[in-house]
């Protein structure tokens, strides 16, 4: 793979999003609970990233960490779902297949509110870990089937933890996916040789930074960071440049009461600026881009 360090080269395409705005905003909710690696689920190891670093010996069940994840679907999801409804903000869920299978009623409720379910792999793992395209293909199909069973729709978008494998994009294209989001290198979508639209994601405006020592501590810190990003991109949009802002959340992170204010404040800010931006699901962003930029 040869890295493209130039991209649009400053020659941004001239188009507007469907509502006439130059700035699209994608709210993403990661739906991973139940798909993290857990020995008690039959996996060979436990996930280590959570509210605390697991100290359970290798190869033994860690029910405490499993419960930290379960909070997301048992409690946090409903709090977040209600806030999205209150502010009429559409979201895309990055859904792991095993999470869709384990917590199908929760995912079904999100889908019933009109939110998009994109594929996040079968497990919360890097697809670069796969040793063969056949193994990866089987897990992609298994994940899509679980998402379809819970939502009634086949996922058209994809994002995995870490990185894709050398075969991921061709496998997605073969299965009729419209976009992939395993990219962090632009403020606009772009086309991939596979035929997929790449809708870049972002890790800076992401609540995982509450779990990082150099990240957010108070909920207002994330809200202020997102406001700063909106200010910059709105300024560029007024200058005629189309842009995309990604804001990422997790059920088990901002679904907690102490961090929920970050989610609420950001949704309120998007609501305040609604006449100047386009809040949209990622499938709509991918399709609008494909139609506008041939």
């Amino acid at each position: 793979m040869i890295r493209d360090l130039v991209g649009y080269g400053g020659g941004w395409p001239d188009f507007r999003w469907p509502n006439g705005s130059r700035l699209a905003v994608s709210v993403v909710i990661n739906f991973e609970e139940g798909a993290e690696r857990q020995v008690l689920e039959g996996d060979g190891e436990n996930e280590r990233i959570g509210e605390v670093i697991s100290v359970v010996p290798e190869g033994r069940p860690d029910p405490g960490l499993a419960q930290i994840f379960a909070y997301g679907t048992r409690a946090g999801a409903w709090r977040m779902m209600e806030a999205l409804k209150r502010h009429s903000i559409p979201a895309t869920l990055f859904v792991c297949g095993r999470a869709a299978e384990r917590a199908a009623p929760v995912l079904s409720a999100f889908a019933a509110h009109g939110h998009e379910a994109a594929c996040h792999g079968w497990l919360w793992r890097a697809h670069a870990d796969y040793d063969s395209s056949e193994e990866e293909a089987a897990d992609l199909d298994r994940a899509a089937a679980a998402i379809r069973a819970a939502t009634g729709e086949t996922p058209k978008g994809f994002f995995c933890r870490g990185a894709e494998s050398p075969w991921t994009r061709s496998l997605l294209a073969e299965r009729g996916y419209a976009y992939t989001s395993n990219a962090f290198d632009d403020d606009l979508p772009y086309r991939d040789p596979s035929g997929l639209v790449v809708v870049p994601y972002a890790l800076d405006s992401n609540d995982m930074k509450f779990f990082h020592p150099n990240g957010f501590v108070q909920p207002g810190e994330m809200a202020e960071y997102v406001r700063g990003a909106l200010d910059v991109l709105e300024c560029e949009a007024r200058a005629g440049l189309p842009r995309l802002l990604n804001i990422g959340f997790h059920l088990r992170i901002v679904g907690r009461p102490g961090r929920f204010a970050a989610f609420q404040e950001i949704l309120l800010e998007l609501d305040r600026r609604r006449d100047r931006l386009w809040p949209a699901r990622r499938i709509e962003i991918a399709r609008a881009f494909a139609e506008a930029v041939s």
Side-chain angles (χ1 to χ4, degrees):
M1 176 180 177
I2 299 175
R3 295 167 62 199
D4 180 359
L5 299 178
V6 177
Y8 287 107
W12 311 103
D14 183 10
F15 72 95
R16 292 180 181 270
W17 298 107
N19 72 341
S21 171
R22 297 276 189 181
L23 174 58
V25 176
S26 169
V27 171
V28 169
I29 297 175
N30 291 267
F31 196 99
E32 300 155 347
E33 291 73 10
E36 80 283 3
R37 291 165 295 179
Q38 294 287 354
V39 170
L40 56 78
E41 290 274 10
D43 301 321
E45 61 183 350
N46 293 313
E47 175 57 49
R48 295 287 172 179
I49 298 177
E51 291 285 348
V52 294
I53 297 173
S54 175
V55 295
V56 172
E58 193 74 26
R60 296 186 184 180
D62 187 347
L65 187 65
Q67 290 160 3
I68 287 170
F69 271 81
Y71 181 92
T73 44
R74 289 171 62 103
W78 308 102
R79 188 173 285 131
M80 295 171 68
M81 202 182 308
E82 178 58 31
L84 289 168
K85 178 182 178 182
R86 186 163 59 251
H87 293 286
S88 299
I89 299 293
T92 293
L93 281 74
F94 286 162
V95 182
C96 292
R98 196 168 76 183
E101 189 175 84
R102 295 285 196 274
V106 185
L107 181 57
S108 296
F110 272 110
H113 283 82
H115 304 299
E116 175 196 5
C119 181
H120 200 23
W122 172 248
L123 296 180
W124 190 43
R125 61 174 285 191
H127 276 229
D129 291 347
Y130 284 104
D131 293 323
S132 71
S133 61
E134 292 78 14
E135 182 188 1
E136 183 178 7
D139 275 357
L140 282 172
D141 292 341
R142 190 180 183 189
I147 293 169
R148 186 165 52 249
T151 68
E153 295 187 3
T154 300
K156 293 296 182 183
F158 176 82
F159 176 79
C160 69
R161 184 183 189 179
E164 298 168 328
S165 77
W167 322 286
T168 301
R169 292 188 180 183
S170 61
L171 292 173
L172 296 174
E174 289 167 8
R175 284 157 175 75
Y177 279 75
Y179 72 88
T180 182
S181 287
N182 275 94
F184 309 100
D185 53 1
D186 217 306
D187 292 317
L188 273 186
Y190 54 90
R191 294 182 181 275
D192 183 74
S194 65
L196 299 171
V197 172
V198 178
V199 182
Y201 191 44
L203 300 179
D204 64 317
S205 47
N206 192 298
D207 70 355
M208 277 297 289
K209 292 180 71 176
F210 283 112
F211 280 1
H212 296 165
N214 62 338
F216 308 128
V217 177
Q218 297 297 325
E221 292 172 352
M222 182 177 184
E224 187 61 30
Y225 189 93
V226 169
R227 275 192 287 269
L230 285 166
D231 288 345
V232 169
L233 295 181
E234 277 192 22
C235 182
E236 294 179 358
R238 286 194 296 271
L241 304 177
R243 289 291 184 259
L244 166 65
L245 176 64
N246 298 280
I247 314 171
F249 301 101
H250 296 73
L251 303 175
R252 63 190 178 277
I253 301 180
V254 295
R256 288 276 179 180
R259 292 184 289 254
F260 184 61
F263 191 63
Q264 288 184 301
E265 286 185 41
I266 289 167
L267 295 187
L268 181 59
E269 191 66 30
L270 296 180
D271 212 355
R272 287 191 189 113
R273 304 185 191 218
R274 192 179 293 271
D275 62 339
R276 308 196 298 274
L277 49 81
W278 184 48
R281 305 182 309 167
R282 296 179 83 77
I283 185 60
E284 294 159 349
I285 290 169
R287 288 171 175 163
F289 174 82
E291 184 176 337
V293 182
S294 58

